């Protein structure tokens, strides 16, 4: 979603919002043999939201932009290997699984100034400061699977 507000003849306020939801489930016979010896499964469930507020303006020779940006991503994935009885470890049938969760939160502020020194020479200065936090949790598991 994008919204724009003309605050004056030379200054504009913009808001850009994005939301995504992504789900995926996958099951593949990875050994490609005539009998199913090993299969891989995977699932992903991810949500993300971003928000940017941007203020920009300028005159004939000067253009500037400044703003704030926020991002939040929550990702949960489950993956593993599924084997038939005696497939991975003879006499000890097991399946291997992992569950991972990654949460990311990012905040930033930015700005840029462009100044035309001449018709063919422009001075550009800008910067961005970012604060990002990531929380990660991984669980690795082995399951006994006798049948």
């Amino acid at each position: 979603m994008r919204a724009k507000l003309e605050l004056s003849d030379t200054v504009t306020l913009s808001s850009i919002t994005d939301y995504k939801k992504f789900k995926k489930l996958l099951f593949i016979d990875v050994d490609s043999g005539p009998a199913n010896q090993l299969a891989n499964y995977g699932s992903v469930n991810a949500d993300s939201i971003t928000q940017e507020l941007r203020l920009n303006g300028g005159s004939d020779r000067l253009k500037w932009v400044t703003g704030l940006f926020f991002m939040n991503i929550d990702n949960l994935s489950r993956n593993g290997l599924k084997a038939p009885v005696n497939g991975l470890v003879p006499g000890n049938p097991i399946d291997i699984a992992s569950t991972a969760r990654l949460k990311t939160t990012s905040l930033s502020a930015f700005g840029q100034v462009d100044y035309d020194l001449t018709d063919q020479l422009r001075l550009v200065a800008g910067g961005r400061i970012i604060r990002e936090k990531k929380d990660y949790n991984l669980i690795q598991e082995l399951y006994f699977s006798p049948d």
Side-chain angles (χ1 to χ4, degrees):
M1 179 175 67
R2 174 177 259 177
K4 221 180 216 188
L5 178 63
E6 302 289 336
L7 299 177
S8 73
D9 290 343
T10 59
V11 178
T12 303
L13 175 65
S14 300
S15 172
I16 303 165
T17 306
D18 180 62
Y19 174 76
K20 292 183 181 102
K21 184 167 191 69
F22 176 76
K23 287 188 177 190
K24 177 179 174 180
L25 179 60
L26 179 68
F27 199 83
I28 300 173
D29 177 5
V30 294
D31 60 43
S32 300
N36 184 16
Q37 293 299 313
L38 194 58
N40 172 261
Y41 68 90
S43 71
V44 175
N45 187 354
D47 295 304
S48 71
I49 187 163
T50 62
Q51 175 65 54
E52 180 176 317
L53 292 175
R54 185 172 52 210
L55 194 62
N56 64 292
S59 61
D60 290 339
R61 299 177 75 182
L62 176 73
K63 292 180 182 58
W64 57 269
V65 62
T66 186
L68 301 169
F69 180 79
F70 168 79
M71 176 182 71
N72 182 269
I73 301 172
D74 187 359
N75 184 62
L76 175 65
S77 64
R78 293 184 174 98
N79 298 284
L81 291 173
K82 177 96 176 114
V85 175
N86 297 325
L88 286 178
V89 181
N92 295 299
I94 59 170
D95 292 337
I96 301 169
S98 64
T99 301
R101 173 160 242 142
L102 175 62
K103 292 183 178 183
T104 304
T105 302
S106 181
L107 295 167
S108 60
F110 59 90
Q112 180 173 316
V113 176
D114 296 13
Y115 184 74
D116 292 334
L117 298 170
T118 68
D119 287 344
Q120 296 189 1
L121 183 61
R122 177 178 294 156
L123 177 66
V124 177
R128 182 180 205 101
I129 186 167
I130 301 171
R131 175 153 171 90
E132 190 164 282
K133 180 181 177 191
K134 292 183 179 278
D135 291 318
Y136 182 70
N137 184 2
L138 172 69
I139 300 170
Q140 189 70 54
E141 301 164 299
L142 297 175
Y143 291 99
F144 182 67
S145 57
D147 59 14

